[in-house]
Amino acid sequence: MRLQAALVAALLTPVAVSTQSQTVRIRAARVIDGTGKVVPNATITVDGSKITSIETSASATPTYNLGQATVMPGMIDVHAHLGWHFDKEGRYAARRGAPTEEILYSAENAYVTLMAGFTTIQSPGQANDVELRDAIARGVFPGPRVLTSIRQLNEGSGTADEIREKVCQLKKDGADVVKIFASASIRDGGKQTMTDDQLKAACGEAKTQGLRTMVHAHSPESIRASVNAGCDQIEHGVFANDEVLKLMADKGVYFDPNVGVVLQNYLKNKAKFLGIGNYNEEGFAFMEKGLGLNAAMIKKAVATPNLKLVLGTDAVAGAHGHNADEIVERVRQGNQKPMDALISATSLAAKSLHLDQTIGTIAKGYEADLIALDGDPLTDVTAVTRVSFVMKGGKVYKHVAAATARPSQ
Ligand SMILES: [Zn+2]
């Protein structure tokens, strides 16, 4: 009896359990594999950090019987700013604290992001992302896998030659992706800022160096110029029209619109941002208007044939841990099919990161990045905000009883 009570207590406690070279079986009412397939009453077997099988007739006792939960691959957010935070006074701090404070805020954000079911994130980033990424990769400190741009390029980054030089330096410094600002922020109207030549230099050199590119672009001209410059992925795109949506689809360029988290979070936390930089009343008026523009844009984006929509939130201070709201809102505002929204957050996002052979899919040989949801996201998409179980690389970081699985923040 005592042993049983201890086991139950252990199962209900969210704790990191090392599973190295141990076989772990996870059973659930349904498994969504990340590519569009649903397997009912499935058992997933994990050995060490990898998935070794998924079957429907497993007889062995599961290590984790997740009952009516839905298991799917750990979610991927291709655009989250882990370093953004509010300071001790509750104000946006623009990352100007002491280095020790800054890295701890990033670490806190990494933790809540993982607890929300995101096992990989891409940070259009900052210098201390490198230490954060490497610390998490050592496997002790809990957080999602981090890919980072370290710095960013913009219209002030110099001539074409100087930009190529900067891309080479990013490669040497260990960047995973190059972040480029082709347009102003939505608070400043979103017009193209970098010249076509600057964009060609940035995305051309990145390709030569084997680096992916993600481009902040709001206006149709800035999107068109970025696609024509050979860039890989467009972020935001509030003013994207039918023509550039089709252009992205035709050229196989990934599109990461952000309609469910970032503006809502800014408006909710207005008092914490107001008066800092371009966070003025005019900027907030643009963002308020942006909600309606986004709602119209995402409908058109979802309806554009063959457009590769990936899940990204642009999560900033206040938004970490709420990343899955983006999935809910793409379905709600954009009429995206729940299954397509889940694919965009798993196998398709992995593909955009060139990691589709290792993560984003539940299949033999993949990394064991698995989460469980309280409910079925195909019938109630808000289930993606109720994460009851998180495993990353075969290690369990969260396991709570389904009835108490609620957002971590
Ligand atoms: Zn961003």
Side-chain angles (χ1 to χ4, degrees):
M1 275 308 279
R2 235 181 305 152
L3 179 65
Q4 228 173 27
L7 272 175
V8 169
L11 289 174
L12 292 175
T13 311
V15 65
V17 180
S18 175
T19 57
Q20 267 162 16
S21 64
Q22 233 182 302
T23 300
V24 174
R25 292 181 189 83
I26 299 154
R27 185 175 296 167
R30 74 194 65 74
V31 169
I32 295 174
D33 79 338
T35 71
K37 232 172 46 195
V38 183
V39 187
N41 299 314
T43 298
I44 301 166
T45 304
V46 173
D47 253 302
S49 71
K50 298 257 196 294
I51 298 166
T52 50
S53 72
I54 167 165
E55 46 192 333
T56 49
S57 55
S59 54
T61 309
T63 321
Y64 296 95
N65 190 339
L66 301 177
Q68 289 308 304
T70 301
V71 170
M72 62 177 271
M75 295 183 277
I76 299 169
D77 185 338
V78 302
H79 190 143
H81 297 280
L82 285 183
W84 287 46
H85 61 87
F86 298 126
D87 63 14
K88 288 175 209 140
E89 281 72 51
R91 294 272 290 165
Y92 171 54
R95 291 147 285 154
R96 289 198 199 95
T100 44
E101 275 180 336
E102 290 302 312
I103 197 69
L104 283 169
Y105 279 121
S106 292
E108 288 174 12
N109 290 335
Y111 180 76
V112 300
T113 303
L114 180 68
M115 290 302 108
F118 285 78
T119 49
T120 302
I121 68 112
Q122 178 159 259
S123 168
Q126 56 192 61
N128 67 6
D129 278 351
V130 174
E131 282 78 17
L132 180 72
R133 175 190 69 189
D134 296 350
I136 292 171
R138 285 197 292 273
V140 177
F141 179 76
R145 260 182 213 83
V146 175
L147 296 109
T148 178
S149 73
I150 309 177
R151 295 180 290 275
Q152 26 265 314
L153 300 173
N154 59 33
E155 74 275 18
S157 295
T159 64
D161 280 346
E162 286 164 338
I163 285 175
R164 279 193 269 280
E165 188 59 39
K166 287 194 162 98
V167 171
C168 292
Q169 192 59 48
L170 281 170
K171 175 76 178 180
K172 284 187 198 127
D173 293 345
D176 302 290
V177 61
V178 179
K179 170 72 188 294
I180 298 161
F181 277 86
S183 89
S185 114
I186 184 176
R187 290 178 293 284
D188 299 316
K191 293 263 180 293
Q192 184 172 341
T193 47
M194 286 176 82
T195 66
D196 293 2
D197 281 347
Q198 285 180 312
L199 284 169
K200 277 184 192 135
C203 291
E205 185 62 32
K207 205 146 274 176
T208 305
Q209 298 294 329
L211 286 170
R212 295 173 295 107
T213 43
M214 59 191 299
V215 186
H216 166 115
H218 280 300
S219 67
E221 310 78 64
S222 61
I223 294 172
R224 193 185 307 115
S226 304
V227 172
N228 290 337
C231 308
D232 297 312
Q233 182 167 309
I234 303 295
E235 310 298 310
H236 320 309
V238 167
F239 301 106
N241 57 20
D242 289 332
E243 181 224 322
V244 295
L245 289 168
K246 186 174 180 306
L247 181 67
M248 285 187 273
D250 289 347
K251 296 281 163 91
V253 169
Y254 291 96
F255 183 37
D256 169 29
N258 317 117
V259 305
V261 175
V262 62
L263 294 183
Q264 289 86 344
N265 177 74
Y266 274 131
L267 293 166
K268 193 172 87 188
N269 292 298
K270 182 176 175 182
K272 298 179 179 184
F273 287 97
L274 194 63
I276 300 163
N278 63 1
Y279 297 103
N280 49 35
E281 286 295 351
E282 198 191 356
F284 272 93
F286 265 118
M287 292 200 279
E288 194 103 40
K289 234 175 71 188
L291 290 176
L293 294 169
N294 267 339
M297 175 273 289
I298 190 67
K299 278 187 191 69
K300 285 191 284 186
V302 167
T304 303
N306 304 317
L307 180 57
K308 297 194 282 190
L309 286 173
V310 285
L311 200 281
T313 60
D314 200 11
V316 295
H320 303 290
H322 300 283
N323 313 59
D325 289 353
E326 182 71 30
I327 296 175
V328 175
E329 290 303 315
R330 288 192 189 182
V331 170
R332 199 179 68 82
Q333 299 176 40
N335 302 320
Q336 190 171 31
K337 289 191 192 116
M339 183 61 97
D340 290 344
L342 297 180
I343 291 170
S344 81
T346 52
S347 64
L348 191 64
K351 198 158 196 201
S352 78
L353 304 176
H354 295 178
L355 292 175
D356 51 313
Q357 298 303 312
T358 48
I359 60 169
T361 297
I362 297 180
K364 187 180 174 195
Y366 277 78
E367 280 293 298
D369 287 5
L370 306 169
I371 61 168
L373 311 175
D374 177 11
D376 179 358
L378 299 178
T379 53
D380 169 15
V381 74
T382 66
V384 294
T385 66
R386 297 188 297 274
V387 173
S388 56
F389 179 91
V390 176
M391 171 186 265
K392 192 191 104 197
K395 202 164 166 177
V396 177
Y397 290 94
K398 182 180 189 181
H399 181 211
V400 291
T404 58
R406 288 292 175 261
S408 55
Q409 239 192 1

